[in-house]
Amino acid sequence: MIPKAPWKIMNVSLDAAPDMIDRPDACRAVLVLLWFKGAYLGRLELSAGEFPLHRREFLKLAVQAVQPALPALVSSGETYLSAVSVHAARTFPEDIRSVSTNDVSQRIERMMDWRTARRSNLSATIAICTANRPGPLRACLKSLEAEIDAGREILVIDNAPSPRTQAIVAEFGGTRYVPEPKRGLSNARNTALAEATAEIVVFVDDDVRPEPGWIDPLLAAFETDRVAVVCGLVLPLKLETDAQVGFEFCFGFGGMGVVPLRFDREFCHFARTAIPVWDIGAGANMAIRRSTALKLGGFDERIGPGAAGGCGDDSEFWYRALSSGHEARYEPLSVVRHVHRADWTDLRQQARGYFKGHLVALFAQFAYDRDWRNLRQAFFDLPKWIIGRLISRALWRYTGEDMFHYAVLSGDVVRGYLFGLTYLGWALVRPPTQGRVTQNEPR
Amino acid sequence: MWDRHFTTPPFAMVEIALDTPLEPLAFAEGINGAHVLVRFRDRPVGRFWLSRALHGDVVPIDTLQTHVDHVFDAGFGAAFLDDLAPARTPEPAPAITIAICTRDRPALLRRCLEALVERRDQATRAAVDLVVVDNAPSDSGTRDAVADFPSVRYVVEPVPGLNFGRNRALVEAKGDWLGFIDDDAIPDRGWLDALIEGIADSPTAGGFAGPIMPMMLETEAQMRFERSGGFGKGFQFKRFARERYGDPFHPTGQGNFGTGASMVFSAHVMREIGGFDEALDTGPPLPGGGDSDSFYRVIRAGHPVIYLPGLMVHHEHRRDMPGLRKQYYSWGLSNGALLGKTKARDPQMFKLQRRTLATYVVQRAKRLVFSLAGRGPLTPRLNWAELAGALAGCLGEYERSQKRVSLRKAEKDA
């Protein structure tokens, strides 16, 4: 049973947990984000009635919540673990097994020290794509002040050009305002790719608040020239309304792990269904190597918010990058906080958009490389998943698996899926926009 | 097919430590498999099963390793926890009374007392007081057995019924904490340490429970029982407070909290909520459920119940199939009877209790259907016994039991 809003979000560092963890005021449940030496280790959900907790009670619950990922995290050491190994059987290297002789916390600490000390000399442009959301944009720019002061190139792509947005951008010296009247997030992102001058373009949605220093781990993850995409961790900023709780537990970024991952050729081949590119991360916190993006023709402008579907533009691009031999990384040290939509109508729209966008992206991906697994996902696995959800919606009283948000949203999920089906034709034609953003000089 | 490999006795009881190198496991003559308990730093973290038919006469290290890897993260987590916050000893040392309620089983009692006295004598961090409650004895066997242990107190509770015995123990308890161990179980070597640390970690707890592992798997009844889940409730630390995240049935999932073979209560809390319900746990064929019910009432009174993996006992399960059938019937009966009890005593929770019971009945009915097709560790008769018990239980069994118990009391008083 997922308690309804309001939730509180608590950040607790395991190495400095207080003696007593009291119940936060006015909430039904608490999402505890667990940290250790500055690294995200996982999350723990607690009902309000479970408080107060004594220190070791809390630590026992917390460690239990994070321990499934611990062996993989420690064994990743100074590398990125292959994403396939996460799906495969649980096997551990020999030195991890001799856990008794090793100090676990020291090993994690050493690893984190090494990871956080890495610095890349790649240059980066930060691109914020926005449309008619002056409030969130201002908050986002505020959280970027350290980067502005450091003289980093910051672009604000206004996808619904208005003097209001322009005025906000003008408040922050050192940022550049770029209007892009043609609607669509993919258009805006392509504009950013064309306008940027640095090697790496870091995309930040207007509804996220990057943590200070989130950019360094992203850049450091571009270890080799083959790495085209790096995604970071997205955590919720607040869960104050039912819509925000619903988003977090149905469409949220909750599945984002704590282990740094490598997505490569092997990853393209292991799955029986479509390549699970959505595992890589979220477009809300991603960095892209500009030269590779330009070579691949940028984002598909038919897909994504403002065009067909409410998502899929980013994952479709990752798909092309991976299947053309490039690699991707997931870097959990890079943290942004996301403000979920507060309004239930927005969430319903998002539910429709997500499923439509997912399907549209699958069709476009099939057109790109004729990989039948995309259609298998579209016509077999996805319907199967949806039907499963509908059944558990009908039975939740008896199974105890109460997904109240899914129950409410399943109508929208089905509608989104059906909308998506109308784009089946895209599976047959090559995308017309391939190669649109190829010029290196700014327009 | 699969189940047959794991229901043919006897199975060996094997222990593996995560912190020592693995060695190939060879089955002795006539042994059909092994129940493997995995420990890390001497604390239990998991278990798995091996079958001679599936894994061969000698189980190679690789096979063992694959099994161990499944519980490996628990050891990793335990090591991490030790680094973050080493276990502490409570200040001042807690005063613990451990009671064994028994009736006419001197041989089993002797075995249990030997282990307990040994643990008690090793304990330096707590004052432990041992009591044997002899419940309506028919001879002096129990008294004679206890006489061999000079440091163990002996009291008699004349009214037959386990919860009469437990209430007598509550009266006799000198300590702040009152623990119960069944006479057919022996506490694990880390039992007392786990309890002492648990008390230090959760000073506000109203009760503690722990896993019940099999002592031996020698008969078909024992194998089937343990394979179907037995008393085991896993090796995860659990905390049952007023609310519990992710559990839509809480707090009415009474069966999840713990088992009477290894449980500890705050004596103060127990007295506050009026002791154990005498209409429950009056011995088969009357309903059990006295343990689940007391955990439930502790939680409802606002005191968390803590499930500690270290609070483990080794229990000798029923050896014969008729006995096992009776036990399943009595389980069903008590789960059903709790519905009546909730309706009378805690009407606020009645609807939820009904849902819990419905889910339980549906689940057991499903298990019965599967067993008719020859699947699962239990025979159809065992499954039917539990289901029949549940149905009989929710049709006024609690009220019937209350009547019987009051008659019994009146008889004794007269």
Side-chain angles (χ1 to χ4, degrees):
Chain A
M1 168 102 76
I2 297 171
K4 293 200 174 196
W7 281 54
K8 278 271 154 59
I9 295 180
M10 246 164 120
N11 289 282
V12 179
S13 192
L14 290 185
D15 45 328
D19 278 341
M20 200 70 185
I21 298 177
D22 288 316
R23 171 189 180 155
D25 301 328
C27 68
R28 285 214 176 92
V30 179
L31 172 64
V32 192
L33 300 174
L34 305 166
W35 303 82
F36 180 69
K37 306 280 175 194
Y40 175 68
L41 269 200
R43 49 194 274 164
L44 175 66
E45 290 99 1
L46 293 168
S47 285
E50 294 182 64
F51 291 90
L53 286 161
H54 291 268
R55 177 156 179 260
R56 254 181 63 99
E57 285 180 320
F58 171 77
L59 285 176
K60 282 175 186 171
L61 292 171
V63 167
Q64 224 158 251
V66 305
Q67 75 191 16
L70 278 185
L73 181 66
V74 174
S75 70
S76 71
E78 301 185 351
T79 59
Y80 288 80
L81 220 59
S82 167
V84 179
S85 69
V86 175
H87 290 266
R90 303 148 56 86
T91 47
F92 310 107
E94 214 40 59
D95 65 320
I96 298 298
R97 285 199 177 117
S98 54
V99 54
S100 57
T101 54
N102 285 295
D103 193 304
V104 177
S105 62
Q106 262 179 32
R107 286 183 69 147
I108 301 178
E109 213 177 316
R110 266 207 307 278
M111 188 187 114
M112 289 309 167
D113 286 346
W114 181 84
R115 285 190 173 278
T116 43
R118 285 174 310 164
R119 286 288 176 273
S120 164
N121 47 17
L122 289 168
S123 60
T125 297
I126 298 170
I128 307 165
C129 302
T130 184
N132 277 334
R133 288 206 282 192
L137 176 67
R138 179 181 280 127
C140 176
L141 281 168
K142 250 207 169 74
S143 62
L144 287 175
E145 257 163 358
E147 297 296 327
I148 296 173
D149 295 342
R152 188 94 66 185
E153 180 181 41
I154 296 179
L155 302 177
V156 178
I157 318 292
D158 191 355
N159 205 208
S162 71
R164 236 178 114 198
T165 309
Q166 190 165 10
I168 288 169
V169 178
E171 287 171 28
F172 298 86
T175 56
R176 186 143 64 90
Y177 176 79
V178 184
E180 170 53 69
K182 203 175 156 209
R183 280 308 294 267
L185 181 57
S186 311
N187 279 313
R189 282 182 173 158
N190 279 340
T191 309
L193 285 173
E195 293 282 332
T197 54
E199 287 162 87
I200 306 295
V201 182
V202 178
F203 287 98
V204 173
D205 282 0
D206 55 7
D207 52 3
V208 306
R209 315 266 180 281
E211 302 259 294
W214 99 106
I215 200 167
D216 296 316
L218 282 181
L219 298 181
F222 286 90
E223 311 169 287
T224 66
D225 292 344
R226 301 178 72 82
V227 181
V229 178
V230 175
C231 285
L233 177 64
V234 185
L235 295 174
L237 184 70
K238 50 188 175 188
L239 300 170
E240 283 168 1
T241 69
D242 274 347
Q244 289 177 332
V245 176
F247 181 84
E248 180 62 23
F249 288 96
C250 300
F251 312 114
F253 315 104
M256 301 184 95
V258 302
V259 183
L261 294 178
R262 181 180 80 235
F263 302 86
D264 51 14
R265 266 227 127 12
E266 198 192 350
F267 180 71
C268 296
H269 295 301
F270 92 99
R272 281 172 61 225
T273 58
I275 306 173
V277 271
W278 46 89
D279 281 3
I280 297 175
N285 182 15
M286 74 169 166
I288 283 178
R289 192 184 292 274
R290 193 164 149 265
S291 54
T292 316
L294 295 178
K295 239 182 269 159
L296 288 168
F299 293 87
D300 190 330
E301 298 181 351
R302 301 170 306 167
I303 311 175
C311 71
D313 50 325
D314 33 28
S315 63
E316 191 270 346
F317 172 78
W318 304 336
Y319 183 91
R320 272 185 284 135
L322 283 185
S323 60
S324 60
H326 297 281
E327 292 181 9
R329 296 278 187 276
Y330 169 65
E331 177 52 76
L333 275 183
S334 164
V335 183
V336 305
R337 312 257 178 170
H338 184 260
V339 186
H340 303 337
R341 311 281 170 88
D343 210 39
W344 193 261
T345 353
D346 286 346
L347 178 67
R348 292 187 55 179
Q349 196 189 341
Q350 227 168 355
R352 290 195 295 271
Y354 271 23
F355 279 80
K356 182 177 164 191
H358 182 40
L359 212 55
V360 171
L362 287 172
F363 293 150
Q365 289 165 14
F366 177 74
Y368 178 72
D369 63 1
R370 304 275 155 188
D371 185 339
W372 286 93
R373 290 180 298 176
N374 288 308
L375 294 190
R376 191 198 137 109
Q377 169 89 7
F379 292 111
F380 181 70
D381 297 289
L382 203 53
K384 193 174 119 191
W385 184 86
I386 292 175
I387 290 169
R389 292 259 58 98
L390 291 176
I391 291 174
S392 50
R393 172 196 176 173
L395 294 181
W396 70 266
R397 272 178 185 281
Y398 306 98
T399 55
E401 190 194 349
D402 175 15
M403 305 290 282
F404 100 93
H405 296 100
Y406 262 126
V408 179
L409 291 171
S410 47
D412 296 293
V413 167
V414 173
R415 273 167 73 188
Y417 180 80
L418 295 177
F419 285 145
L421 282 184
T422 60
Y423 289 83
L424 177 60
W426 287 11
L428 309 173
V429 291
R430 281 243 160 200
T433 49
Q434 287 290 309
R436 189 189 81 103
V437 228
T438 44
Q439 68 273 42
N440 250 337
E441 58 285 336
R443 284 176 297 170
Chain B
M1 267 318 275
W2 176 264
D3 290 305
R4 200 187 308 153
H5 297 312
F6 291 99
T7 47
T8 323
F11 266 44
M13 309 303 297
V14 178
E15 294 206 356
I16 280 185
L18 279 181
D19 24 15
T20 53
L22 291 175
E23 277 169 28
L25 179 74
F27 291 118
E29 199 61 43
I31 297 289
N32 288 321
H35 172 277
V36 188
L37 183 70
V38 186
R39 290 181 191 259
F40 175 73
R41 294 187 184 161
D42 219 31
R43 283 168 288 187
V45 292
R47 64 141 165 200
F48 59 88
W49 296 79
L50 296 169
S51 153
R52 187 178 213 147
L54 290 176
H55 301 107
D57 293 342
V58 179
V59 186
I61 290 183
D62 286 354
T63 312
L64 287 176
Q65 192 70 66
T66 347
H67 281 95
V68 167
D69 279 351
H70 278 277
V71 296
F72 179 77
D73 56 357
F76 217 84
F80 189 37
L81 182 66
D82 283 351
D83 290 343
L84 289 171
R88 290 169 307 158
T89 305
E91 288 291 337
I96 303 168
T97 297
I98 300 175
I100 304 162
C101 300
T102 184
R103 178 198 282 173
D104 300 339
R105 298 206 282 194
L108 294 181
L109 178 67
R110 209 179 282 271
R111 183 178 65 190
C112 177
L113 278 178
E114 271 164 17
L116 255 179
V117 166
E118 194 190 321
R119 313 271 183 276
R120 196 263 320 264
D121 293 344
Q122 287 163 357
T124 51
R125 298 188 286 168
V128 184
D129 154 49
L130 299 180
V131 183
V132 170
V133 181
D134 196 357
N135 195 199
S138 59
D139 55 28
S140 65
T142 305
R143 180 188 292 270
D144 299 342
V146 179
D148 294 345
F149 302 90
S151 58
V152 177
R153 284 196 286 149
Y154 172 84
V155 290
V156 177
E157 168 54 51
V159 188
L162 180 52
N163 270 359
F164 283 105
R166 285 180 182 146
N167 276 336
R168 165 68 56 189
L170 189 58
V171 172
E172 295 289 330
K174 293 178 188 158
D176 301 327
W177 299 91
L178 174 59
F180 291 97
I181 287 182
D182 278 4
D183 53 4
D184 50 1
I186 51 171
D188 189 57
R189 54 179 182 265
W191 196 89
L192 210 48
D193 287 328
L195 178 60
I196 292 166
E197 283 167 24
I199 290 171
D201 295 343
S202 319
T204 50
F208 295 93
I212 318 295
M213 285 289 109
M215 190 187 293
M216 74 280 279
L217 294 166
E218 289 169 355
T219 70
E220 189 195 345
Q222 290 178 332
M223 286 299 298
R224 288 190 184 276
F225 178 68
E226 192 56 38
R227 279 297 289 180
S228 76
F231 290 120
K233 299 190 195 324
F235 294 92
Q236 291 244 312
F237 170 81
K238 289 181 251 182
R239 191 173 178 279
F240 301 96
R242 269 202 319 280
E243 290 173 14
R244 184 164 156 81
Y245 179 81
D247 183 352
F249 301 121
H250 189 76
T252 59
Q254 277 96 339
N256 298 329
F257 303 138
T259 309
S262 174
M263 59 179 187
V264 180
F265 291 99
S266 155
H268 165 72
V269 168
M270 214 57 221
R271 285 184 193 117
E272 187 187 285
I273 63 171
F276 298 87
D277 182 352
E278 292 166 347
L280 295 171
D281 260 346
T282 40
L286 309 176
D291 44 1
S292 326
D293 172 68
S294 20
F295 284 130
Y296 170 80
R297 285 188 300 132
V298 167
I299 294 169
R300 288 290 288 158
H303 307 279
V305 165
I306 314 281
Y307 182 85
L308 290 173
L311 211 62
M312 178 173 70
V313 300
H314 304 270
H315 181 261
E316 181 174 346
H317 299 333
R318 299 290 173 101
R319 304 186 76 92
D320 55 325
M321 290 298 273
L324 186 59
R325 221 164 31 241
K326 258 188 227 156
Q327 179 172 336
Y328 272 114
Y329 180 80
S330 145
W331 263 8
L333 205 59
S334 41
N335 280 322
L338 287 178
L339 185 71
K341 166 145 198 196
T342 310
K343 190 175 182 180
R345 300 286 172 81
D346 198 356
Q348 224 186 328
M349 284 288 137
F350 176 64
K351 273 190 165 167
L352 194 60
Q353 183 80 64
R354 205 169 50 187
R355 237 178 84 194
T356 308
L357 186 69
T359 315
Y360 164 77
V361 168
V362 167
Q363 200 192 0
R364 292 304 135 105
K366 222 162 87 183
R367 217 161 78 169
L368 175 64
V369 172
F370 275 112
S371 67
L372 287 170
R375 286 166 64 186
L378 295 186
T379 61
R381 283 189 78 183
L382 291 173
N383 278 320
W384 171 245
E386 189 173 2
L387 204 53
L391 296 177
C394 57
L395 299 174
E397 181 59 32
Y398 183 66
E399 293 78 1
R400 286 196 293 277
S401 186
Q402 271 179 316
K403 246 179 235 154
R404 279 191 300 251
V405 163
S406 57
L407 276 178
R408 221 184 254 186
K409 258 171 115 174
E411 215 173 88
K412 279 287 157 191
D413 289 343

PDB file of all heavy atoms in Angstrom, chain A residues 20 25 101 119 225 284 384 440:
ATOM      1  N   MET A  20      18.361   9.555  17.429  1.00  0.00           N
ATOM      2  CA  MET A  20      16.923   9.332  17.420  1.00  0.00           C
ATOM      3  C   MET A  20      16.386   9.974  16.152  1.00  0.00           C
ATOM      4  O   MET A  20      16.709  11.113  15.860  1.00  0.00           O
ATOM      5  CB  MET A  20      16.349  10.037  18.663  1.00  0.00           C
ATOM      6  CG  MET A  20      15.025   9.556  19.075  1.00  0.00           C
ATOM      7  SD  MET A  20      15.144   7.911  19.746  1.00  0.00           S
ATOM      8  CE  MET A  20      13.414   7.612  19.987  1.00  0.00           C
ATOM      9  N   ASP A  25       6.893  16.352  10.814  1.00  0.00           N
ATOM     10  CA  ASP A  25       5.520  16.839  10.991  1.00  0.00           C
ATOM     11  C   ASP A  25       4.703  16.659   9.727  1.00  0.00           C
ATOM     12  O   ASP A  25       5.218  16.689   8.617  1.00  0.00           O
ATOM     13  CB  ASP A  25       5.552  18.335  11.339  1.00  0.00           C
ATOM     14  CG  ASP A  25       6.356  18.561  12.607  1.00  0.00           C
ATOM     15  OD1 ASP A  25       6.331  17.656  13.449  1.00  0.00           O
ATOM     16  OD2 ASP A  25       6.998  19.616  12.707  1.00  0.00           O
ATOM     17  N   THR A 101      37.448 -10.284   5.835  1.00  0.00           N
ATOM     18  CA  THR A 101      38.762  -9.704   6.044  1.00  0.00           C
ATOM     19  C   THR A 101      38.813  -8.267   5.542  1.00  0.00           C
ATOM     20  O   THR A 101      39.817  -7.602   5.689  1.00  0.00           O
ATOM     21  CB  THR A 101      39.831 -10.524   5.309  1.00  0.00           C
ATOM     22  OG1 THR A 101      39.424 -10.611   3.941  1.00  0.00           O
ATOM     23  CG2 THR A 101      39.950 -11.900   5.893  1.00  0.00           C
ATOM     24  N   ARG A 119      38.628  14.334 -12.344  1.00  0.00           N
ATOM     25  CA  ARG A 119      38.256  15.555 -13.049  1.00  0.00           C
ATOM     26  C   ARG A 119      38.532  15.331 -14.524  1.00  0.00           C
ATOM     27  O   ARG A 119      39.506  14.714 -14.906  1.00  0.00           O
ATOM     28  CB  ARG A 119      39.085  16.748 -12.565  1.00  0.00           C
ATOM     29  CG  ARG A 119      38.685  17.255 -11.201  1.00  0.00           C
ATOM     30  CD  ARG A 119      37.331  17.980 -11.244  1.00  0.00           C
ATOM     31  NE  ARG A 119      36.918  18.373  -9.909  1.00  0.00           N
ATOM     32  CZ  ARG A 119      36.236  17.594  -9.071  1.00  0.00           C
ATOM     33  NH1 ARG A 119      35.902  16.363  -9.443  1.00  0.00           N
ATOM     34  NH2 ARG A 119      35.902  18.018  -7.883  1.00  0.00           N
ATOM     35  N   ASP A 225      36.552   7.970 -26.099  1.00  0.00           N
ATOM     36  CA  ASP A 225      35.838   8.650 -27.182  1.00  0.00           C
ATOM     37  C   ASP A 225      34.541   7.934 -27.545  1.00  0.00           C
ATOM     38  O   ASP A 225      33.661   8.504 -28.166  1.00  0.00           O
ATOM     39  CB  ASP A 225      36.728   8.728 -28.427  1.00  0.00           C
ATOM     40  CG  ASP A 225      37.901   9.656 -28.185  1.00  0.00           C
ATOM     41  OD1 ASP A 225      37.818  10.433 -27.210  1.00  0.00           O
ATOM     42  OD2 ASP A 225      38.885   9.588 -28.944  1.00  0.00           O
ATOM     43  N   ALA A 284      16.303  14.178 -17.973  1.00  0.00           N
ATOM     44  CA  ALA A 284      16.356  15.319 -17.062  1.00  0.00           C
ATOM     45  C   ALA A 284      17.774  15.577 -16.561  1.00  0.00           C
ATOM     46  O   ALA A 284      18.063  16.656 -16.050  1.00  0.00           O
ATOM     47  CB  ALA A 284      15.424  15.078 -15.879  1.00  0.00           C
ATOM     48  N   LYS A 384       1.310  -7.075 -22.618  1.00  0.00           N
ATOM     49  CA  LYS A 384       1.290  -8.053 -21.538  1.00  0.00           C
ATOM     50  C   LYS A 384       1.430  -7.345 -20.189  1.00  0.00           C
ATOM     51  O   LYS A 384       0.698  -7.627 -19.238  1.00  0.00           O
ATOM     52  CB  LYS A 384       2.456  -9.031 -21.739  1.00  0.00           C
ATOM     53  CG  LYS A 384       2.380 -10.281 -20.890  1.00  0.00           C
ATOM     54  CD  LYS A 384       3.483 -11.242 -21.266  1.00  0.00           C
ATOM     55  CE  LYS A 384       4.386 -11.505 -20.089  1.00  0.00           C
ATOM     56  NZ  LYS A 384       5.608 -12.204 -20.405  1.00  0.00           N
ATOM     57  N   ASN A 440      28.414  22.523 -38.084  1.00  0.00           N
ATOM     58  CA  ASN A 440      29.135  22.708 -36.847  1.00  0.00           C
ATOM     59  C   ASN A 440      29.042  24.143 -36.367  1.00  0.00           C
ATOM     60  O   ASN A 440      29.121  24.409 -35.185  1.00  0.00           O
ATOM     61  CB  ASN A 440      30.592  22.317 -37.030  1.00  0.00           C
ATOM     62  CG  ASN A 440      30.880  21.046 -36.262  1.00  0.00           C
ATOM     63  OD1 ASN A 440      30.161  20.754 -35.314  1.00  0.00           O
ATOM     64  ND2 ASN A 440      31.885  20.317 -36.676  1.00  0.00           N
TER      65      ASN A 440
END
